[in-house]
Amino acid sequence: MAEAATLLQAIEHLRRGGLVAFPTETVYGLGASALDQSAVRRVFKVKGRPSHNPLIVHVAHEAMARRVVSNWSDDAQRLARAFWPGPLTIVAPRHERVPSVVAGGGDTVAVRCPDHPLALELLLRSDLPLVGPSANRSGHVSPTSAEHVRREFAGQILETADGTVSQVGPSGLDQIMLLDGGPCRIGVESTVVLITEQPRILRPGAIGASELSAELGRVVLEATSARADDARIEPLPSPLASPGMLDRHYAPRTPAYAFERHEAGLVLTALGRLDASSLVFALTEIDVPEPHRLVPLPGAPAQLATELYATLRWGDEQESGVMFIELPPSEHTDPIVGAVRDRLRRATMPIDRFIRG
C-alpha cells in the first residue's frame, strides 16, 4: 500500500493537472481531475484514446456524484446506495461543470465509486472526482497489477526504487505517478447501466441485470452483443454513452481467436495450418499437437475473471504465432461469466474467420 507521503504527492500532482495511476477492485485506472479539461485531454493523449470514447468519473460517495451530474434521480440513488462502493457505473445527465471531453462530446456522464481502500482514500483526501480509464494504451489489455502499468508505460512512471515518488516540474505532467495497491480483486471492468424509462446495461460486469432489476423494481435489459459481425448487435449510439462499447478492445498484441466449446475441432484444424508454436487457452481438455501448447484456464468464474487480463498479457510475452481462447459457456448464469465473454469477444476474432482465411 502507498505510504502517506506518496499519497500526498500524488494528490498534489493531480491538483496541478498531472496523471496518477491508481488501483480499484476491477482494474487499475489512469486518473486525472475530471473537472480539469487540460488534464482530461492529457489522459486521452497519453493513452492514445479516441476522443469520442467517454471516460468514467470516479467519486468517493454519493455527494460527490451529485457534483458531476445535473439530475441525480431516485433510481440512481437506489443503485448507488445498494451497490457502492462497488463495480457498478451509473450513466446520468452530465453537469455543465464537467468538461464535454470527459463524456466524448455527449450529454451524459458515467459515474462510479470504487471498492478499493487506496482509491477511496485518494478520492476522499483530494476531494476531486477523477476520470479513471484503464491505465494502458488504448485498445490493449487492461492492467490488473501495478507491474502491468509499469510495463505499459515504461519510461513514463515517476517512482524511485524505494517506492516513493520523485518531484515533478511543469514539464512532467504527461508522466504518471503510480500508486501500488496490489492485484485487483475482480479483474474485469465495472458493469455500466444507463438509467432511462427502460434501463439497460451498456457493459456487462460483476453485477448482473437481475440484481439491478430487483433493486429498481423493473426490468433492466441485458447488454447487447459485443461483436460487430453478430447480426444481433444494435447500432452504437453517437456519441457513445459509455466506455467499453467499441467492437475492438481489451486486445492482446498477438493475433487471437475465440472459440466455443463445440468448436474445438476447428482449433485443431487451425493448428494444422500453423508452423510456428501457438497457444490454446482452454477450459476443457484438448489434445493439442506439438509444437503448440495447451494452457488450462480456471473453471471457477471469479478466478477466471481475476486472471483473465494477466493471462492475455502472459500470452503476449510468449511471442507465439497465434492465440486461441475458449469462451466460457454462454448459458452460465453468473454475470461475471457474461463479462468475461464480452471482453474476450471484443479482444479476439471468431475462429471461423481464421478457417475461412
Side-chain angles (χ1 to χ4, degrees), residues 10-180:
I11 290 170
E12 179 61 24
H13 193 51
L14 287 168
R15 288 175 175 162
R16 293 174 57 246
L19 309 182
V20 173
F22 63 94
T24 76
E25 78 280 26
T26 58
V27 301
Y28 272 71
L30 184 59
S33 171
L35 306 182
D36 183 335
Q37 179 170 270
S38 296
V40 173
R41 292 192 184 281
R42 196 167 287 120
V43 170
F44 279 93
K45 173 188 171 185
V46 168
K47 281 180 62 69
R49 186 181 180 95
S51 61
H52 70 287
N53 193 10
L55 307 177
I56 290 174
V57 176
H58 293 68
V59 298
H61 39 60
E62 186 181 326
M64 188 179 285
R66 291 175 180 271
R67 287 161 47 187
V68 299
V69 303
S70 61
N71 178 26
W72 189 247
S73 67
D74 290 342
D75 285 342
Q77 179 175 300
R78 288 191 191 96
L79 293 181
R81 293 184 178 179
F83 299 106
W84 282 5
L88 179 68
T89 295
I90 299 168
V91 178
R94 175 176 60 86
H95 196 285
E96 62 182 8
R97 68 170 58 95
V98 177
S100 173
V101 64
V102 171
D107 296 326
T108 59
V109 63
V111 188
R112 94 171 183 100
C113 176
D115 187 14
H116 191 289
L118 183 51
L120 287 172
E121 188 174 8
L122 178 67
L123 289 160
L124 284 167
R125 294 182 68 170
S126 69
D127 195 34
L128 291 172
L130 301 176
V131 296
S134 56
N136 58 280
R137 307 289 181 182
S138 183
H140 191 219
V141 180
S142 299
T144 53
S145 73
E147 184 57 30
H148 293 165
V149 181
R150 290 186 184 97
R151 294 184 184 183
E152 192 79 21
F153 295 106
Q156 289 182 261
I157 301 296
L158 293 167
E159 64 176 354
T160 60
D162 63 0
T164 60
V165 182
S166 58
Q167 296 294 327
V168 185
S171 63
L173 294 182
D174 282 354
Q175 293 181 287
I176 302 164
M177 289 189 177
L178 173 60
L179 297 178
D180 187 344

